[in-house]
Amino acid sequence: MKTYRAVSLGLPESGKTAYLSCAISYLVRNDENWQIKDGNKDFLAMMNDTERIMQSGAWPDKTRSNNKLEFKVEGNAVTITDWMGEMFEALTDFKAYRDCSEKMKKQFRDSIQNATCLLIFIDGTTIRDHDTTKRIQRCLSGLQPMLEGFHRAGSESKEIAFVVTKCDELTGIAPYCDATGEVSDDLLSQSLQKNFWVFFRYIKDVNNWLSYKVYSVSCLPVKDHRSTTLDHGLVATNNWTLEDMKGQVTPIIDIYSKIDIGAFIGGVVGAFICAWIGALICAWIDALICGWIGALICGWVGAFIGSFIGTWIEDM
């Protein structure tokens, strides 16, 4: 069994907790592979109530401290630690952050160090706002030296998922949309790379340890199921259901559904070795015998070597 550990980060009001509530509620209800443990009863209660909350024209409550969500997915363990937005903003001066106990600071650092995936949430409605961009730049400038220290200490490699929320409000807005007017993850990625080029350069410099992907998501992807109110702005109507989230859960699924690079490379190398051995055997053995003995030997040897190489690469 493998263990995948994700940490969610983002400024306050970035849409992080609302998205996690809607997306995870959809997965747990509709995907039998996702089984949530009962370790966090408050979040379980909120998940059970998410559809009613959204249909009432409100949003799930923001994270007050941190929620640790534990799942069993296809025999693997998946943990998502959702931190309050103030912890992400505290990265601008983490040592001087006095509103947080030393115990919580340590928990925060440890969760990032042990994470296999960092979910960094960015509010799509403020992606063009200079002040918000500067706030995120300062947070990433605080996160980078923390990651550098973890890298030097030999911590596990990490995938960074930049999750741009509320993308329903970016439809038709250049430069984030393609010719059809739909939001493009590639164009969003280009925009983020431009705004946060220092952090993206760091990712590139350690691309054997860090990798990234950009996602566009919305809790209100169906146009007919959203409306604007004076109190809460854009909200869901009573026609909203969890089924609306069907195409919005990829960032969560991708926490664990990565290609096993070690096994993949090992398999490719093993296939080449297998083919080479098979060619030699064909040259040495009668063609009739080679048909079954050669295939048996080269397949066994290739599979063994491929598995060994894959395991060795994965453990590096």
Side-chain angles (χ1 to χ4, degrees), residues 3-8 16-17 20 24 34-47 63-72 77-84 104 106-108 110-112 114-115:
T3 300
Y4 301 87
R5 296 170 295 276
V7 172
S8 67
K16 172 172 55 67
T17 302
L20 290 175
I24 293 173
W34 280 77
Q35 301 174 23
I36 189 169
K37 298 181 179 179
D38 61 356
N40 191 309
K41 290 182 171 57
D42 291 338
F43 194 83
L44 275 170
M46 184 170 66
M47 283 179 54
T63 304
R64 302 297 177 184
S65 175
N66 69 300
N67 286 318
K68 188 174 182 180
L69 316 172
E70 297 180 312
F71 307 88
K72 183 177 180 182
V78 176
T79 299
I80 302 175
T81 304
D82 176 28
W83 284 96
M84 60 182 180
M104 184 169 287
K106 184 178 186 306
Q107 290 176 342
F108 183 68
D110 289 348
S111 68
I112 294 177
N114 297 326

Side-chain angles (χ1 to χ4, degrees), residues 284-297:
W284 293 340
I285 306 176
D286 180 84
L288 181 62
I289 301 177
C290 172
W292 59 275
I293 294 183
L296 179 63
I297 296 176

Side-chain angles (χ1 to χ4, degrees), residues 90-249:
L91 288 169
T92 59
D93 192 358
F94 194 61
K95 290 182 179 179
Y97 185 50
R98 295 180 177 84
D99 292 337
C100 178
S101 66
E102 290 301 317
K103 180 180 179 181
M104 184 169 287
K105 284 183 183 179
K106 184 178 186 306
Q107 290 176 342
F108 183 68
R109 281 182 56 91
D110 289 348
S111 68
I112 294 177
Q113 181 172 14
N114 297 326
T116 54
C117 178
L118 301 181
L119 300 165
I120 299 180
F121 286 82
I122 298 174
D123 185 340
T125 62
T126 62
I127 196 171
R128 295 177 296 169
D129 181 75
H130 177 73
D131 291 339
T132 302
T133 299
K134 294 297 291 184
R135 288 171 67 192
I136 297 172
Q137 284 175 348
R138 289 193 291 269
C139 294
L140 294 177
S141 294
L143 178 62
Q144 181 174 327
M146 188 182 286
L147 292 174
E148 290 172 351
F150 297 155
H151 187 204
R152 288 193 297 269
S155 296
E156 188 173 359
S157 62
K158 305 179 191 309
E159 170 90 11
I160 298 181
F162 292 94
V163 185
V164 182
T165 61
K166 310 176 188 177
C167 279
D168 50 273
E169 299 194 45
L170 291 178
T171 303
I173 298 178
Y176 313 112
C177 298
D178 57 25
T180 68
E182 295 299 317
V183 175
S184 164
D185 290 349
D186 289 338
L187 293 176
L188 277 178
S189 179
Q190 292 174 25
S191 178
L192 296 185
Q193 290 178 58
K194 181 179 178 181
N195 288 339
F196 313 120
W197 65 271
V198 174
F199 190 71
F200 277 90
R201 177 175 291 180
Y202 168 63
I203 294 176
K204 184 177 180 181
D205 288 343
V206 290
N207 62 7
N208 62 325
W209 186 69
L210 282 181
S211 57
Y212 78 91
K213 190 171 180 180
V214 175
Y215 301 86
S216 58
V217 300
S218 172
C219 293
L220 306 172
V222 180
K223 185 176 180 180
D224 293 340
H225 293 177
R226 56 182 185 247
S227 64
T228 303
T229 67
L230 292 176
D231 294 334
H232 297 98
L234 196 64
V235 295
T237 68
N238 58 9
N239 292 319
W240 189 95
T241 70
L242 285 175
E243 289 298 319
D244 291 3
M245 297 298 298
K246 183 176 182 179
Q248 306 298 314
V249 296

